[in-house]
Amino acid sequence: MSDDFFPPRAPSWYARPDARTWRCEPAPADVRAFHRSLPDHAPTPLTEIPAPASEFGVGRVFVKDESCRLGLPAFKALGASWAVHRALAQRAAQGAEPGPVTLVAATDGNHGRAVARMAHRHGHAAHVFVPRGVHPLAIAAIAAEGARVTEVAGPYDEAVRLAAEAATAPGTLLIQDTGLPGYERIPRWIVEGYSTLCAEIDEQLTAAGAAEGPDLVAVPVGVGSLAQAVVTHYRSRPSGRAPALLSVEPEAAACVLRSLTLGRPVTVTTGETVMAGLNCGTPSGIAWPHLLAGLDAAIAVTDADCARAAADLAASGVSSGPCGAAALAGLRAALDGTGAEERRTALGLGPASVVVLLSTEGTAANPGTPVAAG
C-alpha cells in the first residue's frame, strides 16, 4: 500500500473499457445455504422504481433494498454472519481453548453493529472501534447490541489500526472487512458472505421478467468489499451478459476512484460526509485487484447529490440511508451534465437497459442524519 496522501477531492469519473471481459473465480456455493439456515433469514426486496427509468432514458430501474437484513438495517450482516461462523469453526478446529472470546472490529457503523449482533448470538463479547463522524445514535445502536465501544478521535483508517492492535490480546478475534497485509482470510469470508445478495438479485430479476440480468449495477463503495463481491459475482460467469459495474463514493472520501485513476492503491485524506459508512481512506488490499480489473467505472458524489437521491427513493417507497442512496446519486451524476453522453456510452446504456441500484442501508442505519434535506 502506498504511503502517499492526497486531498479528499478527486477526479469525479473513471472508466475502464475492457472490464467486462475480465473473469475470476466465483464465490463458494455453500454461503447461500448457510444464510438460508439462519432463523431470521429472508431475501430482501428488489423494488422496481419507474421514475428514474424515465429520467435516465433506460428500460427499467430496480433497487435492492437492504433496509432490513437479518434483523439489522444494512447488508453488513451477510458478511459478518458468514465470517464469524467460519472464524469460530476454524478456531475450534485448531484446538483453541473453549469458552468466550471477544470479537474485535472497526466500523463506520453497520459492520460493527453486525459483528456485535453475531458475537451475542454465539455467546461471545464484542469490542468495536468507531472513528470520528459517526452519529451518537449509531454508536448507541452498536452498544445496544452488547458491544464495548471505543470512540477514536481520528478517521476510519485509525480505527482499523487500533482494532488490529487490540485483537493481538489473548482471547480476541479480529473480524474486519478491510484486508491488510497478513490479514486476508477473514476479510475474504466477509466478501463471500455478500454473494447471497447478488444471487438473490438474479432470482428476483428472473421473476420480474428480466432473466438476462442487469446491464448496469451501481454499488456504493467504502473500502470496496461489497464491490469486490459484486465484481466476483458478475465476472465469474463463463458466458451470458456481463453488466457494467459502477462504483460510487463520497467526494470527501473517494479512495477507490483516486486509486483507479492512478492505477495503484493509495490513501486519501478523508473529510466530513453524511455517507458515514463510506467515509474510508484506503481501499481493502484484497478487494483492490478485483476493483482494478472488474469495475467499468467509478464516480464520486456530494452530500447534496445523496440527499436528493434519498428523497427520491423515499418517494418511491424505499427506505434508504445516505450510503444506500449513493447508488442512485452516482447513476444520476454519471448520466447528467457535461460529458453525460460519453459516460452513458462507457456504461453501455440504451433505452432498453436494465439497471440495478444497491441500496445498502435503510434510514435506521444512520439515525439522526438529515438525508432528505438539501
Short mmCIF file of all heavy atoms in Angstrom, two decimals, residues 69-123:
data_model
loop_
_atom_site.label_atom_id
_atom_site.label_comp_id
_atom_site.label_asym_id
_atom_site.label_seq_id
_atom_site.Cartn_x
_atom_site.Cartn_y
_atom_site.Cartn_z
N ARG A 69 -31.98 -6.58 6.92
CA ARG A 69 -31.25 -7.80 6.56
C ARG A 69 -30.87 -8.52 7.85
O ARG A 69 -30.11 -7.99 8.66
CB ARG A 69 -30.01 -7.46 5.75
CG ARG A 69 -29.11 -8.62 5.45
CD ARG A 69 -29.75 -9.67 4.56
NE ARG A 69 -29.71 -9.30 3.14
CZ ARG A 69 -30.06 -10.13 2.15
NH1 ARG A 69 -30.49 -11.35 2.44
NH2 ARG A 69 -30.03 -9.71 0.89
N LEU A 70 -31.42 -9.71 8.07
CA LEU A 70 -31.16 -10.49 9.28
C LEU A 70 -31.43 -9.68 10.53
O LEU A 70 -30.71 -9.75 11.53
CB LEU A 70 -29.72 -11.03 9.27
CG LEU A 70 -29.39 -12.05 8.19
CD1 LEU A 70 -27.90 -12.37 8.17
CD2 LEU A 70 -30.20 -13.34 8.41
N GLY A 71 -32.49 -8.85 10.46
CA GLY A 71 -32.91 -8.07 11.62
C GLY A 71 -32.15 -6.78 11.82
O GLY A 71 -32.42 -6.05 12.79
N LEU A 72 -31.22 -6.44 10.94
CA LEU A 72 -30.45 -5.21 11.04
C LEU A 72 -30.69 -4.34 9.81
O LEU A 72 -31.07 -4.84 8.75
CB LEU A 72 -28.96 -5.54 11.18
CG LEU A 72 -28.55 -6.22 12.49
CD1 LEU A 72 -27.07 -6.62 12.45
CD2 LEU A 72 -28.81 -5.31 13.68
N PRO A 73 -30.46 -3.01 9.92
CA PRO A 73 -30.84 -2.10 8.84
C PRO A 73 -29.80 -1.91 7.75
O PRO A 73 -29.71 -0.84 7.16
CB PRO A 73 -31.09 -0.79 9.59
CG PRO A 73 -30.13 -0.83 10.72
CD PRO A 73 -30.06 -2.27 11.14
N ALA A 74 -28.99 -2.95 7.46
CA ALA A 74 -27.97 -2.84 6.42
C ALA A 74 -27.52 -4.23 6.00
O ALA A 74 -27.71 -5.22 6.72
CB ALA A 74 -26.77 -2.03 6.91
N PHE A 75 -26.88 -4.31 4.84
CA PHE A 75 -26.44 -5.57 4.26
C PHE A 75 -25.29 -6.23 5.02
O PHE A 75 -25.00 -7.41 4.82
CB PHE A 75 -26.00 -5.34 2.81
CG PHE A 75 -24.63 -4.73 2.68
CD1 PHE A 75 -23.53 -5.51 2.33
CD2 PHE A 75 -24.42 -3.38 2.92
CE1 PHE A 75 -22.25 -4.97 2.22
CE2 PHE A 75 -23.16 -2.82 2.81
CZ PHE A 75 -22.07 -3.61 2.46
N LYS A 76 -24.62 -5.51 5.89
CA LYS A 76 -23.39 -5.98 6.51
C LYS A 76 -23.54 -7.29 7.27
O LYS A 76 -22.57 -8.05 7.43
CB LYS A 76 -22.84 -4.92 7.45
CG LYS A 76 -22.33 -3.66 6.77
CD LYS A 76 -20.99 -3.90 6.11
CE LYS A 76 -20.36 -2.60 5.64
NZ LYS A 76 -19.03 -2.80 5.06
N ALA A 77 -24.75 -7.60 7.74
CA ALA A 77 -24.94 -8.83 8.49
C ALA A 77 -24.64 -10.07 7.65
O ALA A 77 -24.30 -11.12 8.19
CB ALA A 77 -26.36 -8.90 9.04
N LEU A 78 -24.76 -9.97 6.33
CA LEU A 78 -24.45 -11.10 5.46
C LEU A 78 -22.98 -11.50 5.60
O LEU A 78 -22.64 -12.68 5.75
CB LEU A 78 -24.74 -10.76 4.01
CG LEU A 78 -26.21 -10.68 3.59
CD1 LEU A 78 -26.32 -10.15 2.17
CD2 LEU A 78 -26.88 -12.05 3.71
N GLY A 79 -22.10 -10.52 5.53
CA GLY A 79 -20.67 -10.81 5.65
C GLY A 79 -20.26 -11.17 7.06
O GLY A 79 -19.48 -12.10 7.26
N ALA A 80 -20.79 -10.45 8.05
CA ALA A 80 -20.40 -10.70 9.43
C ALA A 80 -20.85 -12.09 9.88
O ALA A 80 -20.10 -12.80 10.56
CB ALA A 80 -20.98 -9.63 10.34
N SER A 81 -22.06 -12.49 9.51
CA SER A 81 -22.56 -13.80 9.95
C SER A 81 -21.72 -14.94 9.39
O SER A 81 -21.35 -15.87 10.11
CB SER A 81 -24.03 -13.96 9.56
OG SER A 81 -24.19 -13.88 8.15
N TRP A 82 -21.40 -14.88 8.10
CA TRP A 82 -20.60 -15.94 7.47
C TRP A 82 -19.18 -15.95 8.02
O TRP A 82 -18.63 -17.02 8.33
CB TRP A 82 -20.61 -15.74 5.96
CG TRP A 82 -19.76 -16.69 5.17
CD1 TRP A 82 -18.64 -16.39 4.43
CD2 TRP A 82 -19.94 -18.11 5.01
NE1 TRP A 82 -18.13 -17.50 3.82
CE2 TRP A 82 -18.91 -18.59 4.16
CE3 TRP A 82 -20.88 -19.02 5.50
CZ2 TRP A 82 -18.78 -19.92 3.79
CZ3 TRP A 82 -20.75 -20.36 5.14
CH2 TRP A 82 -19.72 -20.80 4.29
N ALA A 83 -18.57 -14.78 8.17
CA ALA A 83 -17.19 -14.71 8.64
C ALA A 83 -17.06 -15.16 10.08
O ALA A 83 -16.11 -15.88 10.44
CB ALA A 83 -16.66 -13.29 8.49
N VAL A 84 -17.99 -14.76 10.93
CA VAL A 84 -17.95 -15.20 12.33
C VAL A 84 -18.13 -16.71 12.41
O VAL A 84 -17.43 -17.41 13.15
CB VAL A 84 -19.00 -14.45 13.16
CG1 VAL A 84 -19.15 -15.08 14.55
CG2 VAL A 84 -18.62 -12.98 13.31
N HIS A 85 -19.08 -17.23 11.65
CA HIS A 85 -19.30 -18.67 11.60
C HIS A 85 -18.02 -19.41 11.19
O HIS A 85 -17.61 -20.38 11.85
CB HIS A 85 -20.43 -18.97 10.60
CG HIS A 85 -20.54 -20.39 10.17
ND1 HIS A 85 -21.01 -21.39 10.99
CD2 HIS A 85 -20.22 -20.99 8.98
CE1 HIS A 85 -20.99 -22.55 10.33
NE2 HIS A 85 -20.52 -22.33 9.12
N ARG A 86 -17.38 -18.96 10.12
CA ARG A 86 -16.17 -19.62 9.63
C ARG A 86 -15.00 -19.45 10.61
O ARG A 86 -14.24 -20.40 10.86
CB ARG A 86 -15.77 -19.05 8.27
CG ARG A 86 -16.72 -19.40 7.12
CD ARG A 86 -16.73 -20.88 6.79
NE ARG A 86 -15.41 -21.44 6.55
CZ ARG A 86 -14.80 -21.47 5.36
NH1 ARG A 86 -15.42 -20.96 4.30
NH2 ARG A 86 -13.62 -22.01 5.22
N ALA A 87 -14.86 -18.25 11.16
CA ALA A 87 -13.72 -17.97 12.04
C ALA A 87 -13.82 -18.76 13.34
O ALA A 87 -12.81 -19.30 13.84
CB ALA A 87 -13.64 -16.47 12.34
N LEU A 88 -15.01 -18.87 13.91
CA LEU A 88 -15.17 -19.64 15.14
C LEU A 88 -14.96 -21.12 14.89
O LEU A 88 -14.37 -21.84 15.71
CB LEU A 88 -16.55 -19.38 15.75
CG LEU A 88 -16.77 -17.96 16.30
CD1 LEU A 88 -18.21 -17.81 16.78
CD2 LEU A 88 -15.79 -17.65 17.44
N ALA A 89 -15.45 -21.62 13.74
CA ALA A 89 -15.24 -23.03 13.40
C ALA A 89 -13.76 -23.32 13.21
O ALA A 89 -13.25 -24.36 13.66
CB ALA A 89 -16.03 -23.37 12.14
N GLN A 90 -13.05 -22.41 12.54
CA GLN A 90 -11.61 -22.60 12.35
C GLN A 90 -10.87 -22.58 13.68
O GLN A 90 -9.97 -23.39 13.92
CB GLN A 90 -11.06 -21.51 11.43
CG GLN A 90 -9.57 -21.65 11.17
CD GLN A 90 -9.00 -20.46 10.43
OE1 GLN A 90 -9.03 -19.34 10.93
NE2 GLN A 90 -8.49 -20.69 9.24
N ARG A 91 -11.26 -21.66 14.55
CA ARG A 91 -10.62 -21.57 15.87
C ARG A 91 -10.78 -22.87 16.64
O ARG A 91 -9.83 -23.36 17.26
CB ARG A 91 -11.23 -20.39 16.63
CG ARG A 91 -10.57 -20.08 17.95
CD ARG A 91 -11.17 -18.81 18.56
NE ARG A 91 -10.49 -18.47 19.80
CZ ARG A 91 -10.82 -18.96 21.00
NH1 ARG A 91 -11.82 -19.81 21.11
NH2 ARG A 91 -10.14 -18.60 22.07
N ALA A 92 -11.98 -23.44 16.60
CA ALA A 92 -12.21 -24.70 17.30
C ALA A 92 -11.41 -25.84 16.68
O ALA A 92 -10.84 -26.67 17.38
CB ALA A 92 -13.70 -25.02 17.28
N ALA A 93 -11.36 -25.84 15.34
CA ALA A 93 -10.62 -26.90 14.64
C ALA A 93 -9.13 -26.85 14.93
O ALA A 93 -8.44 -27.87 14.86
CB ALA A 93 -10.87 -26.79 13.14
N GLN A 94 -8.63 -25.67 15.25
CA GLN A 94 -7.21 -25.51 15.55
C GLN A 94 -6.88 -25.80 17.01
O GLN A 94 -5.73 -25.62 17.44
CB GLN A 94 -6.76 -24.10 15.18
CG GLN A 94 -6.76 -23.84 13.67
CD GLN A 94 -6.46 -22.40 13.31
OE1 GLN A 94 -6.59 -21.50 14.14
NE2 GLN A 94 -6.06 -22.18 12.07
N GLY A 95 -7.90 -26.24 17.77
CA GLY A 95 -7.67 -26.66 19.14
C GLY A 95 -7.65 -25.56 20.16
O GLY A 95 -7.09 -25.73 21.25
N ALA A 96 -8.28 -24.42 19.86
CA ALA A 96 -8.32 -23.31 20.82
C ALA A 96 -9.11 -23.73 22.06
O ALA A 96 -10.03 -24.55 21.99
CB ALA A 96 -8.96 -22.08 20.18
N GLU A 97 -8.75 -23.15 23.18
CA GLU A 97 -9.47 -23.42 24.42
C GLU A 97 -10.93 -23.02 24.27
O GLU A 97 -11.23 -21.94 23.76
CB GLU A 97 -8.85 -22.63 25.57
CG GLU A 97 -7.48 -23.13 26.00
CD GLU A 97 -7.54 -24.50 26.66
OE1 GLU A 97 -8.56 -24.79 27.32
OE2 GLU A 97 -6.60 -25.28 26.48
N PRO A 98 -11.86 -23.88 24.68
CA PRO A 98 -13.28 -23.50 24.61
C PRO A 98 -13.58 -22.36 25.57
O PRO A 98 -12.84 -22.14 26.54
CB PRO A 98 -14.00 -24.78 25.01
CG PRO A 98 -13.01 -25.54 25.84
CD PRO A 98 -11.67 -25.23 25.26
N GLY A 99 -14.66 -21.67 25.30
CA GLY A 99 -15.05 -20.56 26.15
C GLY A 99 -15.21 -19.29 25.34
O GLY A 99 -14.88 -19.24 24.15
N PRO A 100 -15.70 -18.24 25.97
CA PRO A 100 -15.98 -17.00 25.24
C PRO A 100 -14.73 -16.28 24.77
O PRO A 100 -13.68 -16.35 25.40
CB PRO A 100 -16.74 -16.15 26.27
CG PRO A 100 -16.32 -16.69 27.59
CD PRO A 100 -16.08 -18.15 27.39
N VAL A 101 -14.86 -15.62 23.63
CA VAL A 101 -13.80 -14.76 23.10
C VAL A 101 -14.40 -13.39 22.86
O VAL A 101 -15.62 -13.19 22.96
CB VAL A 101 -13.21 -15.32 21.79
CG1 VAL A 101 -12.57 -16.67 22.02
CG2 VAL A 101 -14.27 -15.42 20.71
N THR A 102 -13.55 -12.44 22.54
CA THR A 102 -14.01 -11.09 22.19
C THR A 102 -13.77 -10.85 20.72
O THR A 102 -12.63 -10.93 20.25
CB THR A 102 -13.27 -10.02 23.02
OG1 THR A 102 -13.56 -10.22 24.42
CG2 THR A 102 -13.72 -8.63 22.62
N LEU A 103 -14.85 -10.60 19.98
CA LEU A 103 -14.73 -10.28 18.56
C LEU A 103 -14.48 -8.77 18.44
O LEU A 103 -15.22 -7.96 19.01
CB LEU A 103 -16.01 -10.66 17.82
CG LEU A 103 -16.47 -12.12 17.97
CD1 LEU A 103 -17.68 -12.39 17.07
CD2 LEU A 103 -15.35 -13.08 17.67
N VAL A 104 -13.43 -8.42 17.71
CA VAL A 104 -13.00 -7.03 17.59
C VAL A 104 -13.21 -6.55 16.16
O VAL A 104 -12.95 -7.29 15.20
CB VAL A 104 -11.51 -6.89 17.98
CG1 VAL A 104 -11.07 -5.42 17.92
CG2 VAL A 104 -11.26 -7.46 19.38
N ALA A 105 -13.67 -5.31 16.01
CA ALA A 105 -13.88 -4.74 14.68
C ALA A 105 -13.76 -3.23 14.72
O ALA A 105 -14.00 -2.61 15.76
CB ALA A 105 -15.26 -5.12 14.13
N ALA A 106 -13.38 -2.65 13.60
CA ALA A 106 -13.51 -1.20 13.38
C ALA A 106 -14.68 -0.99 12.45
O ALA A 106 -14.97 -1.83 11.59
CB ALA A 106 -12.23 -0.64 12.77
N THR A 107 -15.36 0.16 12.60
CA THR A 107 -16.58 0.35 11.82
C THR A 107 -16.93 1.82 11.68
O THR A 107 -16.61 2.64 12.55
CB THR A 107 -17.75 -0.38 12.49
OG1 THR A 107 -18.90 -0.33 11.65
CG2 THR A 107 -18.11 0.26 13.83
N ASP A 108 -17.59 2.13 10.58
CA ASP A 108 -18.29 3.40 10.44
C ASP A 108 -19.74 3.27 10.87
O ASP A 108 -20.53 4.20 10.72
CB ASP A 108 -18.24 3.89 8.98
CG ASP A 108 -16.91 4.55 8.64
OD1 ASP A 108 -16.37 5.25 9.50
OD2 ASP A 108 -16.43 4.38 7.51
N GLY A 109 -20.13 2.11 11.37
CA GLY A 109 -21.48 1.91 11.90
C GLY A 109 -22.04 0.53 11.67
O GLY A 109 -22.24 -0.25 12.60
N ASN A 110 -22.32 0.18 10.42
CA ASN A 110 -23.09 -1.03 10.13
C ASN A 110 -22.31 -2.32 10.36
O ASN A 110 -22.85 -3.30 10.88
CB ASN A 110 -23.61 -0.98 8.69
CG ASN A 110 -24.61 0.14 8.48
OD1 ASN A 110 -25.38 0.47 9.38
ND2 ASN A 110 -24.58 0.74 7.30
N HIS A 111 -21.05 -2.37 9.95
CA HIS A 111 -20.26 -3.59 10.14
C HIS A 111 -20.09 -3.90 11.62
O HIS A 111 -20.27 -5.04 12.06
CB HIS A 111 -18.91 -3.47 9.45
CG HIS A 111 -17.98 -4.62 9.75
ND1 HIS A 111 -18.20 -5.89 9.27
CD2 HIS A 111 -16.83 -4.68 10.50
CE1 HIS A 111 -17.24 -6.69 9.69
NE2 HIS A 111 -16.40 -5.99 10.44
N GLY A 112 -19.76 -2.90 12.40
CA GLY A 112 -19.56 -3.11 13.83
C GLY A 112 -20.82 -3.58 14.53
O GLY A 112 -20.76 -4.46 15.41
N ARG A 113 -21.94 -3.02 14.15
CA ARG A 113 -23.20 -3.46 14.76
C ARG A 113 -23.49 -4.91 14.39
O ARG A 113 -23.96 -5.70 15.23
CB ARG A 113 -24.34 -2.55 14.31
CG ARG A 113 -25.66 -2.86 15.02
CD ARG A 113 -26.74 -1.86 14.64
NE ARG A 113 -28.00 -2.21 15.28
CZ ARG A 113 -29.15 -1.57 15.06
NH1 ARG A 113 -29.18 -0.54 14.21
NH2 ARG A 113 -30.25 -1.95 15.68
N ALA A 114 -23.20 -5.28 13.15
CA ALA A 114 -23.43 -6.66 12.71
C ALA A 114 -22.51 -7.62 13.46
O ALA A 114 -22.93 -8.71 13.88
CB ALA A 114 -23.22 -6.78 11.21
N VAL A 115 -21.24 -7.26 13.63
CA VAL A 115 -20.32 -8.11 14.38
C VAL A 115 -20.78 -8.25 15.83
O VAL A 115 -20.76 -9.35 16.40
CB VAL A 115 -18.88 -7.54 14.32
CG1 VAL A 115 -17.96 -8.26 15.31
CG2 VAL A 115 -18.33 -7.64 12.91
N ALA A 116 -21.23 -7.15 16.43
CA ALA A 116 -21.73 -7.21 17.80
C ALA A 116 -22.95 -8.13 17.91
O ALA A 116 -23.06 -8.91 18.86
CB ALA A 116 -22.08 -5.81 18.29
N ARG A 117 -23.85 -8.05 16.93
CA ARG A 117 -25.03 -8.92 16.93
C ARG A 117 -24.62 -10.39 16.84
O ARG A 117 -25.16 -11.25 17.54
CB ARG A 117 -25.95 -8.53 15.78
CG ARG A 117 -27.14 -9.45 15.53
CD ARG A 117 -28.20 -9.34 16.62
NE ARG A 117 -28.79 -8.02 16.70
CZ ARG A 117 -29.89 -7.61 16.02
NH1 ARG A 117 -30.49 -8.46 15.19
NH2 ARG A 117 -30.37 -6.40 16.19
N MET A 118 -23.69 -10.70 15.95
CA MET A 118 -23.25 -12.08 15.78
C MET A 118 -22.47 -12.58 17.00
O MET A 118 -22.58 -13.75 17.37
CB MET A 118 -22.42 -12.23 14.51
CG MET A 118 -23.19 -11.88 13.25
SD MET A 118 -24.77 -12.78 13.13
CE MET A 118 -25.73 -11.63 12.12
N ALA A 119 -21.70 -11.70 17.64
CA ALA A 119 -20.99 -12.09 18.86
C ALA A 119 -22.00 -12.50 19.93
O ALA A 119 -21.84 -13.55 20.58
CB ALA A 119 -20.12 -10.94 19.35
N HIS A 120 -23.01 -11.70 20.12
CA HIS A 120 -24.04 -12.01 21.12
C HIS A 120 -24.75 -13.31 20.78
O HIS A 120 -25.00 -14.14 21.67
CB HIS A 120 -25.04 -10.86 21.19
CG HIS A 120 -26.16 -11.10 22.16
ND1 HIS A 120 -26.01 -10.99 23.51
CD2 HIS A 120 -27.47 -11.46 21.94
CE1 HIS A 120 -27.16 -11.27 24.11
NE2 HIS A 120 -28.06 -11.56 23.19
N ARG A 121 -25.04 -13.52 19.51
CA ARG A 121 -25.74 -14.73 19.09
C ARG A 121 -24.93 -15.98 19.42
O ARG A 121 -25.49 -17.03 19.75
CB ARG A 121 -26.03 -14.66 17.59
CG ARG A 121 -26.67 -15.91 17.01
CD ARG A 121 -27.11 -15.68 15.58
NE ARG A 121 -28.23 -14.75 15.51
CZ ARG A 121 -28.82 -14.38 14.38
NH1 ARG A 121 -28.40 -14.86 13.22
NH2 ARG A 121 -29.81 -13.52 14.39
N HIS A 122 -23.60 -15.88 19.31
CA HIS A 122 -22.74 -17.03 19.57
C HIS A 122 -22.25 -17.08 21.02
O HIS A 122 -21.44 -17.95 21.36
CB HIS A 122 -21.53 -17.00 18.63
CG HIS A 122 -21.85 -17.33 17.21
ND1 HIS A 122 -21.91 -18.63 16.75
CD2 HIS A 122 -22.14 -16.54 16.14
CE1 HIS A 122 -22.21 -18.63 15.46
NE2 HIS A 122 -22.35 -17.38 15.07
N GLY A 123 -22.71 -16.17 21.87
CA GLY A 123 -22.32 -16.18 23.27
C GLY A 123 -20.97 -15.57 23.55
O GLY A 123 -20.33 -15.92 24.55
#
